[in-house]
Amino acid sequence: MGAGDPKDPRRRRLLTGGLGLGAALVAGRAGAGTGEGTPDPKITELQPWTAGPGVGVEANPYGQPVRFEAGVVRRNVPWFSADTISAVNFTPLQALDGTLTPNGLCFERNHAGVAEIPPEDYRLMIHGLVERPLVFTLGDLMRFPRESHSYFLECAANTGMEWRGPQMNGVQFTHGMIHNVNYTGVRLRHVLQAAGVKPAARWLLAEGADAAAMSRSIPLEKALDDCMIAFRMNGEALRAEQGYPVRLVVPGWEGNVWIKWLRRLKLGDAPWAQREETSKYTDLLADGTAREMSFVMEAKSVITSPAPENPITHGRGPLVISGLAWSGRGRIASVDVTLDGGVNWRAARLDGAAGPKALQRFYLDIDWDGRPLMLQSRAVDQTGYVQPTKEALRKLRGLNSAYHMNGTQTWAVDRDGGVTNVELG
Ligand SMILES: Nc1nc2c(c(=O)[nH]1)N[C@H]1C(S)=C(S)[C@@H](COP(=O)(O)O)O[C@H]1N2
Ligand SMILES: [Mo]
Protein backbone atom coordinates (compact mmCIF):
# COMPACT_ATOMS: atom_id res chain seq x y z
CA MET A 1 0.00 0.00 0.00
CA GLY A 2 1.57 3.30 -1.10
CA ALA A 3 0.89 6.86 -0.07
CA GLY A 4 -1.24 7.27 -3.20
CA ASP A 5 -3.54 4.39 -2.32
CA PRO A 6 -7.01 5.73 -1.36
CA LYS A 7 -7.06 3.32 1.60
CA ASP A 8 -3.75 4.62 2.90
CA PRO A 9 -4.42 6.26 6.29
CA ARG A 10 -1.72 8.87 5.56
CA ARG A 11 -3.69 10.05 2.55
CA ARG A 12 -6.95 10.21 4.49
CA ARG A 13 -5.24 12.22 7.16
CA LEU A 14 -3.94 14.65 4.56
CA LEU A 15 -7.34 15.08 2.97
CA THR A 16 -9.30 15.62 6.17
CA GLY A 17 -6.66 17.37 8.28
CA GLY A 18 -5.71 19.68 5.45
CA LEU A 19 -9.23 20.49 4.36
CA GLY A 20 -9.09 24.21 5.05
CA LEU A 21 -5.90 24.69 3.05
CA GLY A 22 -7.03 22.29 0.32
CA ALA A 23 -10.30 24.14 -0.12
CA ALA A 24 -8.47 27.44 -0.38
CA LEU A 25 -6.22 26.04 -3.10
CA VAL A 26 -9.08 24.50 -5.06
CA ALA A 27 -11.09 27.71 -4.87
CA GLY A 28 -8.11 29.74 -6.10
CA ARG A 29 -8.16 31.96 -9.16
CA ALA A 30 -9.28 30.39 -12.38
CA GLY A 31 -6.41 28.63 -14.05
CA ALA A 32 -4.17 28.80 -11.01
CA GLY A 33 -5.16 25.52 -9.32
CA THR A 34 -5.83 21.96 -10.44
CA GLY A 35 -9.56 22.20 -9.79
CA GLU A 36 -12.01 20.42 -7.54
CA GLY A 37 -12.36 16.66 -7.73
CA THR A 38 -8.89 16.00 -9.17
CA PRO A 39 -6.73 14.60 -6.40
CA ASP A 40 -3.24 16.00 -6.88
CA PRO A 41 -0.62 13.41 -5.90
CA LYS A 42 1.76 16.25 -5.00
CA ILE A 43 -0.71 16.98 -2.20
CA THR A 44 -2.04 13.52 -1.40
CA GLU A 45 1.20 11.52 -1.52
CA LEU A 46 4.15 11.75 0.78
CA GLN A 47 7.02 13.30 -1.20
CA PRO A 48 10.65 12.15 -0.89
CA TRP A 49 11.86 15.53 0.42
CA THR A 50 9.47 15.18 3.34
CA ALA A 51 9.97 11.46 3.93
CA GLY A 52 13.59 11.83 5.04
CA PRO A 53 15.96 14.53 6.32
CA GLY A 54 17.62 16.91 3.87
CA VAL A 55 21.28 17.68 3.23
CA GLY A 56 23.32 18.78 6.27
CA VAL A 57 24.46 22.40 6.62
CA GLU A 58 28.14 21.57 6.18
CA ALA A 59 27.64 20.51 2.57
CA ASN A 60 27.63 24.15 1.42
CA PRO A 61 30.07 26.46 3.24
CA TYR A 62 29.59 29.03 0.46
CA GLY A 63 26.03 28.72 -0.81
CA GLN A 64 25.21 27.92 -4.40
CA PRO A 65 21.84 28.24 -6.14
CA VAL A 66 19.60 25.19 -5.97
CA ARG A 67 20.38 22.71 -8.77
CA PHE A 68 17.02 23.29 -10.47
CA GLU A 69 18.20 26.83 -11.28
CA ALA A 70 21.45 25.67 -12.88
CA GLY A 71 20.39 27.24 -16.20
CA VAL A 72 20.38 30.73 -14.69
CA VAL A 73 23.88 31.80 -15.70
CA ARG A 74 25.76 34.51 -17.53
CA ARG A 75 25.98 33.68 -21.20
CA ASN A 76 28.00 35.02 -24.08
CA VAL A 77 27.42 35.39 -27.80
CA PRO A 78 30.34 33.53 -29.42
CA TRP A 79 30.62 35.74 -32.51
CA PHE A 80 30.43 38.95 -30.45
CA SER A 81 33.69 38.41 -28.50
CA ALA A 82 36.84 37.48 -30.42
CA ASP A 83 38.23 35.54 -27.44
CA THR A 84 37.54 35.09 -23.71
CA ILE A 85 40.16 37.65 -22.66
CA SER A 86 38.66 40.68 -24.39
CA ALA A 87 35.09 39.60 -23.94
CA VAL A 88 31.66 40.26 -22.55
CA ASN A 89 28.95 38.06 -21.12
CA PHE A 90 25.36 38.93 -20.27
CA THR A 91 23.21 39.08 -17.14
CA PRO A 92 20.22 36.66 -17.31
CA LEU A 93 17.61 39.41 -16.82
CA GLN A 94 14.82 37.03 -17.84
CA ALA A 95 15.39 34.91 -14.72
CA LEU A 96 15.66 37.74 -12.17
CA ASP A 97 13.09 39.75 -10.28
CA GLY A 98 13.27 42.68 -7.91
CA THR A 99 16.17 44.97 -8.72
CA LEU A 100 19.47 43.78 -7.22
CA THR A 101 21.68 41.57 -9.39
CA PRO A 102 23.19 38.60 -7.51
CA ASN A 103 26.98 38.82 -7.54
CA GLY A 104 27.51 35.62 -9.51
CA LEU A 105 25.17 36.82 -12.28
CA CYS A 106 26.59 40.32 -12.89
CA PHE A 107 27.66 40.55 -16.52
CA GLU A 108 31.41 41.00 -17.09
CA ARG A 109 33.22 43.14 -19.60
CA ASN A 110 36.98 42.73 -19.60
CA HIS A 111 39.52 44.11 -22.03
CA ALA A 112 42.39 41.93 -20.79
CA GLY A 113 40.80 39.21 -18.70
CA VAL A 114 40.16 39.21 -14.96
CA ALA A 115 43.11 40.49 -12.94
CA GLU A 116 43.76 38.80 -9.58
CA ILE A 117 45.23 41.17 -7.00
CA PRO A 118 46.07 39.96 -3.46
CA PRO A 119 44.51 42.56 -1.15
CA GLU A 120 47.78 43.14 0.71
CA ASP A 121 49.48 44.06 -2.58
CA TYR A 122 46.78 46.53 -3.60
CA ARG A 123 47.83 50.20 -3.96
CA LEU A 124 46.03 53.31 -5.20
CA MET A 125 48.15 56.30 -6.26
CA ILE A 126 46.85 59.88 -6.51
CA HIS A 127 49.05 62.40 -8.30
CA GLY A 128 49.08 65.24 -10.85
CA LEU A 129 47.49 68.55 -9.84
CA VAL A 130 47.33 67.77 -6.12
CA GLU A 131 49.02 69.32 -3.06
CA ARG A 132 50.30 65.94 -1.79
CA PRO A 133 50.72 62.93 -4.06
CA LEU A 134 49.54 59.93 -2.01
CA VAL A 135 49.56 56.15 -2.13
CA PHE A 136 46.78 54.28 -0.31
CA THR A 137 46.56 50.67 0.76
CA LEU A 138 43.19 48.93 0.94
CA GLY A 139 43.29 49.38 4.72
CA ASP A 140 43.83 53.15 4.27
CA LEU A 141 40.79 53.43 2.00
CA MET A 142 38.63 51.56 4.49
CA ARG A 143 39.28 54.27 7.12
CA PHE A 144 37.40 56.97 5.19
CA PRO A 145 33.71 57.38 6.13
CA ARG A 146 31.82 54.54 4.49
CA GLU A 147 28.49 54.60 2.61
CA SER A 148 26.34 52.08 0.75
CA HIS A 149 24.30 52.87 -2.38
CA SER A 150 22.65 50.88 -5.17
CA TYR A 151 23.42 51.89 -8.75
CA PHE A 152 23.03 50.35 -12.18
CA LEU A 153 26.07 49.87 -14.41
CA GLU A 154 25.21 49.68 -18.11
CA CYS A 155 27.82 49.11 -20.80
CA ALA A 156 27.51 51.80 -23.49
CA ALA A 157 27.22 48.93 -26.00
CA ASN A 158 24.17 47.38 -24.31
CA THR A 159 21.47 46.83 -26.97
CA GLY A 160 24.04 47.98 -29.54
CA MET A 161 23.48 44.87 -31.66
CA GLU A 162 19.93 46.15 -32.31
CA TRP A 163 20.96 49.42 -34.02
CA ARG A 164 20.29 47.91 -37.44
CA GLY A 165 17.17 45.99 -36.45
CA PRO A 166 16.15 43.03 -34.30
CA GLN A 167 19.01 40.61 -34.06
CA MET A 168 19.19 38.81 -30.72
CA ASN A 169 16.15 36.77 -29.74
CA GLY A 170 16.48 37.06 -25.98
CA VAL A 171 16.39 39.82 -23.37
CA GLN A 172 19.61 38.40 -21.88
CA PHE A 173 21.40 39.38 -25.09
CA THR A 174 19.49 42.51 -26.10
CA HIS A 175 19.66 44.13 -22.64
CA GLY A 176 21.90 42.01 -20.39
CA MET A 177 24.98 44.25 -20.34
CA ILE A 178 23.63 45.80 -17.15
CA HIS A 179 23.74 45.02 -13.46
CA ASN A 180 22.44 46.74 -10.36
CA VAL A 181 24.48 46.34 -7.21
CA ASN A 182 24.53 47.76 -3.71
CA TYR A 183 28.07 49.12 -3.30
CA THR A 184 29.83 49.85 -0.05
CA GLY A 185 32.80 52.15 -0.23
CA VAL A 186 33.91 55.72 0.25
CA ARG A 187 33.09 58.87 -1.64
CA LEU A 188 35.79 59.66 -4.19
CA ARG A 189 35.74 63.32 -3.12
CA HIS A 190 36.93 62.44 0.40
CA VAL A 191 39.92 60.57 -1.00
CA LEU A 192 40.73 63.37 -3.48
CA GLN A 193 40.41 65.98 -0.74
CA ALA A 194 42.98 64.08 1.33
CA ALA A 195 45.48 64.69 -1.48
CA GLY A 196 44.36 68.32 -1.86
CA VAL A 197 42.98 69.13 -5.33
CA LYS A 198 44.76 72.13 -6.87
CA PRO A 199 42.50 74.94 -8.20
CA ALA A 200 43.68 74.38 -11.80
CA ALA A 201 42.44 70.76 -11.80
CA ARG A 202 39.43 70.13 -14.08
CA TRP A 203 39.73 66.45 -15.02
CA LEU A 204 40.55 63.15 -13.41
CA LEU A 205 42.24 60.20 -15.10
CA ALA A 206 41.24 56.85 -13.62
CA GLU A 207 43.37 53.82 -14.52
CA GLY A 208 43.02 50.11 -13.82
CA ALA A 209 45.75 47.68 -12.75
CA ASP A 210 44.75 45.02 -15.32
CA ALA A 211 46.92 44.32 -18.36
CA ALA A 212 44.62 46.61 -20.40
CA ALA A 213 45.47 49.46 -17.99
CA MET A 214 41.98 50.66 -18.87
CA SER A 215 41.84 54.40 -18.38
CA ARG A 216 39.27 57.14 -18.85
CA SER A 217 39.09 60.90 -18.31
CA ILE A 218 36.32 62.03 -15.97
CA PRO A 219 35.32 65.66 -15.38
CA LEU A 220 36.29 66.74 -11.85
CA GLU A 221 32.74 67.97 -11.26
CA LYS A 222 31.44 64.40 -11.56
CA ALA A 223 34.32 63.01 -9.49
CA LEU A 224 33.45 65.38 -6.64
CA ASP A 225 29.72 64.69 -6.96
CA ASP A 226 28.50 61.10 -6.44
CA CYS A 227 31.42 58.84 -7.49
CA MET A 228 32.54 56.15 -5.08
CA ILE A 229 35.59 54.02 -4.53
CA ALA A 230 33.89 50.70 -3.77
CA PHE A 231 35.25 47.57 -2.09
CA ARG A 232 32.00 45.67 -1.38
CA MET A 233 29.16 44.56 -3.63
CA ASN A 234 25.85 43.38 -2.18
CA GLY A 235 27.58 43.16 1.20
CA GLU A 236 30.54 40.93 0.34
CA ALA A 237 33.93 41.68 -1.17
CA LEU A 238 33.90 42.64 -4.85
CA ARG A 239 34.11 39.65 -7.17
CA ALA A 240 37.40 39.42 -9.08
CA GLU A 241 35.33 39.91 -12.25
CA GLN A 242 34.03 43.21 -10.91
CA GLY A 243 37.46 44.62 -9.98
CA TYR A 244 38.54 43.11 -6.64
CA PRO A 245 39.64 44.63 -4.40
CA VAL A 246 38.55 48.13 -5.54
CA ARG A 247 36.54 49.62 -8.41
CA LEU A 248 35.37 53.08 -9.31
CA VAL A 249 31.61 53.66 -9.21
CA VAL A 250 30.41 56.43 -11.55
CA PRO A 251 26.62 56.51 -11.06
CA GLY A 252 24.51 56.92 -14.20
CA TRP A 253 27.51 56.97 -16.57
CA GLU A 254 28.52 54.39 -19.16
CA GLY A 255 30.17 51.28 -17.73
CA ASN A 256 33.48 51.98 -19.44
CA VAL A 257 34.36 54.75 -16.95
CA TRP A 258 33.74 52.49 -13.93
CA ILE A 259 37.41 51.47 -13.77
CA LYS A 260 37.99 48.07 -12.16
CA TRP A 261 41.14 47.09 -10.20
CA LEU A 262 41.58 50.88 -9.73
CA ARG A 263 45.27 51.73 -9.26
CA ARG A 264 45.80 55.35 -10.29
CA LEU A 265 44.00 58.68 -10.17
CA LYS A 266 45.65 61.66 -11.84
CA LEU A 267 44.35 65.22 -11.64
CA GLY A 268 44.83 67.42 -14.71
CA ASP A 269 43.48 70.49 -16.47
CA ALA A 270 42.28 68.72 -19.66
CA PRO A 271 41.09 65.26 -20.75
CA TRP A 272 43.79 62.81 -21.83
CA ALA A 273 42.30 61.41 -25.08
CA GLN A 274 42.74 57.75 -24.14
CA ARG A 275 41.99 54.93 -26.57
CA GLU A 276 38.72 54.23 -24.77
CA GLU A 277 37.45 57.76 -25.43
CA THR A 278 38.67 58.30 -28.98
CA SER A 279 38.76 55.18 -31.15
CA LYS A 280 36.20 53.51 -28.86
CA TYR A 281 33.24 54.83 -26.90
CA THR A 282 32.58 57.69 -29.29
CA ASP A 283 29.45 57.72 -31.44
CA LEU A 284 29.95 58.15 -35.17
CA LEU A 285 26.99 60.25 -36.31
CA ALA A 286 25.23 60.20 -39.67
CA ASP A 287 27.13 63.29 -40.88
CA GLY A 288 30.48 61.62 -40.19
CA THR A 289 31.34 63.60 -37.05
CA ALA A 290 31.99 61.71 -33.83
CA ARG A 291 30.22 62.43 -30.57
CA GLU A 292 32.81 62.17 -27.77
CA MET A 293 32.49 61.87 -24.00
CA SER A 294 28.87 60.74 -24.19
CA PHE A 295 28.94 59.65 -20.58
CA VAL A 296 25.33 59.62 -19.41
CA MET A 297 23.14 56.58 -19.96
CA GLU A 298 19.75 58.03 -20.91
CA ALA A 299 16.43 56.64 -19.68
CA LYS A 300 15.61 53.16 -20.91
CA SER A 301 13.38 50.23 -20.03
CA VAL A 302 12.65 46.68 -21.13
CA ILE A 303 10.05 44.03 -20.37
CA THR A 304 11.82 41.01 -18.89
CA SER A 305 8.72 38.80 -18.81
CA PRO A 306 7.12 37.90 -21.13
CA ALA A 307 10.30 37.86 -23.22
CA PRO A 308 11.71 35.42 -25.80
CA GLU A 309 13.07 33.26 -22.96
CA ASN A 310 9.82 33.65 -20.99
CA PRO A 311 6.91 32.65 -23.24
CA ILE A 312 3.38 32.60 -21.78
CA THR A 313 2.80 28.95 -20.93
CA HIS A 314 -0.35 29.24 -18.82
CA GLY A 315 -2.85 30.31 -21.50
CA ARG A 316 -5.34 33.12 -21.14
CA GLY A 317 -6.20 34.77 -17.82
CA PRO A 318 -4.06 36.61 -15.26
CA LEU A 319 -0.68 37.59 -16.70
CA VAL A 320 2.09 39.39 -14.83
CA ILE A 321 4.04 41.69 -17.14
CA SER A 322 7.31 42.71 -15.51
CA GLY A 323 10.31 44.76 -16.46
CA LEU A 324 13.09 47.14 -15.53
CA ALA A 325 13.58 50.87 -16.09
CA TRP A 326 16.56 53.11 -15.37
CA SER A 327 18.01 56.53 -16.04
CA GLY A 328 21.50 57.93 -15.67
CA ARG A 329 19.96 61.30 -14.82
CA GLY A 330 18.18 60.27 -11.64
CA ARG A 331 14.97 58.50 -10.71
CA ILE A 332 12.36 56.92 -12.94
CA ALA A 333 9.16 58.99 -12.81
CA SER A 334 6.86 56.58 -14.65
CA VAL A 335 6.77 53.64 -17.04
CA ASP A 336 4.02 53.04 -19.59
CA VAL A 337 3.32 49.69 -21.23
CA THR A 338 1.51 49.09 -24.51
CA LEU A 339 -0.04 45.77 -25.51
CA ASP A 340 -0.84 46.86 -29.06
CA GLY A 341 2.39 48.31 -30.41
CA GLY A 342 1.87 51.84 -29.17
CA VAL A 343 -1.79 52.56 -29.93
CA ASN A 344 -2.82 52.51 -26.27
CA TRP A 345 -0.58 52.93 -23.25
CA ARG A 346 -1.20 51.98 -19.61
CA ALA A 347 0.71 53.17 -16.57
CA ALA A 348 2.75 50.34 -15.05
CA ARG A 349 3.05 49.96 -11.27
CA LEU A 350 6.48 51.01 -9.99
CA ASP A 351 7.51 48.48 -7.36
CA GLY A 352 9.04 50.18 -4.32
CA ALA A 353 11.02 53.37 -4.66
CA ALA A 354 14.37 52.76 -6.34
CA GLY A 355 17.02 55.36 -5.62
CA PRO A 356 18.43 57.61 -8.34
CA LYS A 357 20.53 55.95 -11.07
CA ALA A 358 19.39 52.50 -9.99
CA LEU A 359 17.18 49.87 -11.61
CA GLN A 360 13.46 50.34 -11.01
CA ARG A 361 11.21 47.26 -11.22
CA PHE A 362 7.75 47.72 -12.75
CA TYR A 363 4.71 45.45 -13.14
CA LEU A 364 1.50 45.52 -15.12
CA ASP A 365 -1.08 42.90 -14.17
CA ILE A 366 -3.44 42.13 -17.04
CA ASP A 367 -6.07 39.60 -17.98
CA TRP A 368 -4.72 38.12 -21.23
CA ASP A 369 -7.51 37.28 -23.67
CA GLY A 370 -5.25 35.01 -25.70
CA ARG A 371 -4.84 37.43 -28.59
CA PRO A 372 -1.40 38.32 -30.01
CA LEU A 373 0.36 41.23 -28.31
CA MET A 374 2.91 43.83 -29.38
CA LEU A 375 4.51 44.57 -26.02
CA GLN A 376 6.61 47.64 -25.36
CA SER A 377 7.60 49.63 -22.31
CA ARG A 378 8.53 53.31 -22.27
CA ALA A 379 10.32 55.00 -19.37
CA VAL A 380 10.08 58.64 -18.32
CA ASP A 381 12.71 59.94 -15.90
CA GLN A 382 12.59 62.71 -13.32
CA THR A 383 13.84 65.27 -15.87
CA GLY A 384 10.80 64.56 -18.07
CA TYR A 385 12.92 62.78 -20.72
CA VAL A 386 10.86 60.15 -22.54
CA GLN A 387 12.54 56.97 -23.84
CA PRO A 388 12.54 57.33 -27.65
CA THR A 389 11.78 54.77 -30.35
CA LYS A 390 14.72 53.12 -32.11
CA GLU A 391 13.62 54.83 -35.32
CA ALA A 392 13.79 58.27 -33.68
CA LEU A 393 17.31 57.49 -32.46
CA ARG A 394 18.42 56.40 -35.92
CA LYS A 395 17.13 59.67 -37.39
CA LEU A 396 19.28 61.60 -34.93
CA ARG A 397 22.40 59.46 -34.89
CA GLY A 398 22.42 57.43 -38.09
CA LEU A 399 23.36 53.77 -38.34
CA ASN A 400 27.06 53.87 -37.52
CA SER A 401 26.67 53.85 -33.76
CA ALA A 402 27.35 50.86 -31.62
CA TYR A 403 26.70 52.63 -28.33
CA HIS A 404 23.89 54.32 -26.42
CA MET A 405 20.94 52.49 -27.97
CA ASN A 406 18.10 53.21 -25.54
CA GLY A 407 15.14 52.85 -27.93
CA THR A 408 11.92 51.12 -26.96
CA GLN A 409 11.99 47.32 -27.33
CA THR A 410 9.13 45.37 -28.93
CA TRP A 411 8.24 41.78 -28.09
CA ALA A 412 5.65 40.11 -30.32
CA VAL A 413 3.54 37.59 -28.40
CA ASP A 414 1.69 35.06 -30.56
CA ARG A 415 -1.51 33.14 -29.77
CA ASP A 416 0.45 30.27 -28.26
CA GLY A 417 2.31 32.63 -25.95
CA GLY A 418 5.60 32.47 -27.90
CA VAL A 419 7.63 35.67 -27.83
CA THR A 420 9.87 37.12 -30.57
CA ASN A 421 12.12 40.17 -30.82
CA VAL A 422 10.60 42.38 -33.53
CA GLU A 423 10.59 46.00 -34.50
CA LEU A 424 7.58 48.00 -35.57
CA GLY A 425 8.06 50.03 -38.69
N1 LIG B 1 40.32 48.00 -15.47
C1 LIG B 1 39.23 47.80 -16.23
N2 LIG B 1 38.10 48.43 -15.93
C2 LIG B 1 36.98 48.26 -16.68
C3 LIG B 1 37.01 47.44 -17.84
C4 LIG B 1 38.23 46.75 -18.13
O1 LIG B 1 38.33 45.97 -19.07
N3 LIG B 1 39.32 46.96 -17.31
N4 LIG B 1 35.88 47.35 -18.64
C5 LIG B 1 34.96 48.48 -18.55
C6 LIG B 1 33.70 48.28 -19.27
S1 LIG B 1 33.72 48.53 -20.95
C7 LIG B 1 32.54 48.03 -18.60
S2 LIG B 1 31.05 47.97 -19.43
C8 LIG B 1 32.51 47.78 -17.15
C9 LIG B 1 31.94 46.40 -16.90
O2 LIG B 1 31.84 46.16 -15.53
P1 LIG B 1 31.52 44.69 -15.03
O3 LIG B 1 32.57 43.77 -15.55
O4 LIG B 1 31.40 44.77 -13.55
O5 LIG B 1 30.19 44.33 -15.65
O6 LIG B 1 33.81 47.83 -16.57
C10 LIG B 1 34.65 48.83 -17.10
N5 LIG B 1 35.85 48.91 -16.33
MO1 LIG C 1 31.52 48.62 -21.71
Side-chain angles (χ1 to χ4, degrees):
M1 187 167 68
D5 188 316
K7 291 195 206 92
D8 185 318
R10 280 175 297 176
R11 182 172 180 273
R12 291 175 63 106
R13 219 176 27 247
L14 277 169
L15 281 178
T16 47
L19 191 65
L21 176 67
L25 280 175
V26 168
R29 290 194 303 187
T34 46
E36 215 161 342
T38 341
D40 183 345
K42 296 291 169 208
I43 289 288
T44 56
E45 289 180 19
L46 186 62
Q47 301 296 315
W49 47 88
T50 313
V55 175
V57 288
E58 272 150 35
N60 253 336
Y62 190 96
Q64 298 295 315
V66 66
R67 64 192 159 97
F68 311 113
E69 300 293 322
V72 180
V73 289
R74 302 184 284 219
R75 291 183 193 280
N76 68 347
V77 176
W79 59 260
F80 192 60
S81 298
D83 54 46
T84 58
I85 300 302
S86 177
V88 65
N89 57 24
F90 299 81
T91 304
L93 296 177
Q94 72 282 1
L96 302 179
D97 217 316
T99 54
L100 286 180
T101 315
N103 289 344
L105 296 176
C106 288
F107 88 97
E108 312 164 61
R109 170 72 177 109
N110 304 312
H111 290 69
V114 174
E116 270 192 31
I117 306 176
E120 62 277 14
D121 295 335
Y122 175 77
R123 299 289 185 277
L124 172 65
M125 176 168 80
I126 303 190
H127 67 139
L129 291 176
V130 291
E131 306 294 345
R132 296 167 293 280
L134 291 172
V135 172
F136 295 95
T137 64
L138 181 56
D140 296 336
L141 291 177
M142 293 179 81
R143 294 174 69 192
F144 284 91
R146 233 173 276 171
E147 296 178 25
S148 297
H149 299 276
S150 300
Y151 296 117
F152 76 82
L153 179 166
E154 184 182 19
C155 177
N158 197 23
T159 322
M161 288 184 274
E162 306 291 298
W163 263 109
R164 286 153 201 267
Q167 186 163 204
M168 305 307 299
N169 206 36
V171 68
Q172 179 162 16
F173 302 116
T174 57
H175 289 76
M177 277 194 248
I178 191 165
H179 52 62
N180 192 59
V181 162
N182 184 255
Y183 296 97
T184 303
V186 303
R187 287 293 181 190
L188 176 58
R189 63 171 170 269
H190 293 148
V191 179
L192 294 178
Q193 280 156 4
V197 177
K198 288 193 172 165
R202 293 283 175 277
W203 286 81
L204 177 77
L205 182 77
E207 182 186 73
D210 54 334
M214 266 261 330
S215 45
R216 286 289 309 255
S217 309
I218 298 170
L220 188 59
E221 202 186 359
K222 177 68 173 175
L224 297 177
D225 179 18
D226 55 1
C227 292
M228 294 173 76
I229 291 181
F231 35 76
R232 297 268 186 270
M233 59 190 291
N234 294 329
E236 64 179 0
L238 290 185
R239 292 291 169 92
E241 302 95 298
Q242 266 67 45
Y244 181 90
V246 170
R247 96 173 300 163
L248 196 61
V249 168
V250 191
W253 286 22
E254 61 185 18
N256 193 253
V257 296
W258 295 50
I259 301 298
K260 306 194 274 191
W261 312 288
L262 182 66
R263 76 162 169 203
R264 188 162 74 99
L265 296 171
K266 184 178 185 183
L267 279 295
D269 57 6
W272 281 263
Q274 297 294 319
R275 171 185 179 274
E276 299 292 323
E277 52 207 30
T278 52
S279 80
K280 299 282 182 280
Y281 296 93
T282 58
D283 308 305
L284 186 55
L285 304 180
D287 65 3
T289 60
R291 189 173 74 141
E292 284 193 321
M293 308 286 187
S294 45
F295 293 119
V296 177
M297 300 310 291
E298 300 289 357
K300 184 166 167 180
S301 68
V302 69
I303 293 172
T304 54
S305 187
E309 303 96 324
N310 288 328
I312 307 172
T313 54
H314 53 59
R316 60 187 63 197
L319 170 68
V320 175
I321 297 173
S322 178
L324 291 166
W326 60 96
S327 167
R329 296 200 188 269
R331 292 175 200 274
I332 288 296
S334 60
V335 178
D336 294 318
V337 170
T338 178
L339 310 180
D340 52 19
V343 182
N344 299 289
W345 293 89
R346 302 190 200 181
R349 176 165 53 87
L350 301 188
D351 185 58
K357 306 171 188 178
L359 291 190
Q360 169 73 60
R361 173 65 58 180
F362 65 85
Y363 296 105
L364 182 72
D365 304 292
I366 68 158
D367 201 11
W368 187 42
D369 58 11
R371 275 189 290 206
L373 304 172
M374 282 288 182
L375 284 178
Q376 294 178 332
S377 63
R378 185 177 64 191
V380 181
D381 73 15
Q382 67 176 63
T383 70
Y385 175 97
V386 182
Q387 183 184 359
T389 62
K390 289 177 181 161
E391 211 35 53
L393 277 179
R394 291 189 191 105
K395 283 205 183 96
L396 273 174
R397 308 230 297 269
L399 279 177
N400 299 318
S401 283
Y403 305 117
H404 294 276
M405 165 47 87
N406 65 319
T408 46
Q409 176 66 43
T410 313
W411 303 132
V413 180
D414 64 31
R415 277 173 207 287
D416 300 325
V419 183
T420 316
N421 177 10
V422 299
E423 208 181 310
L424 296 173

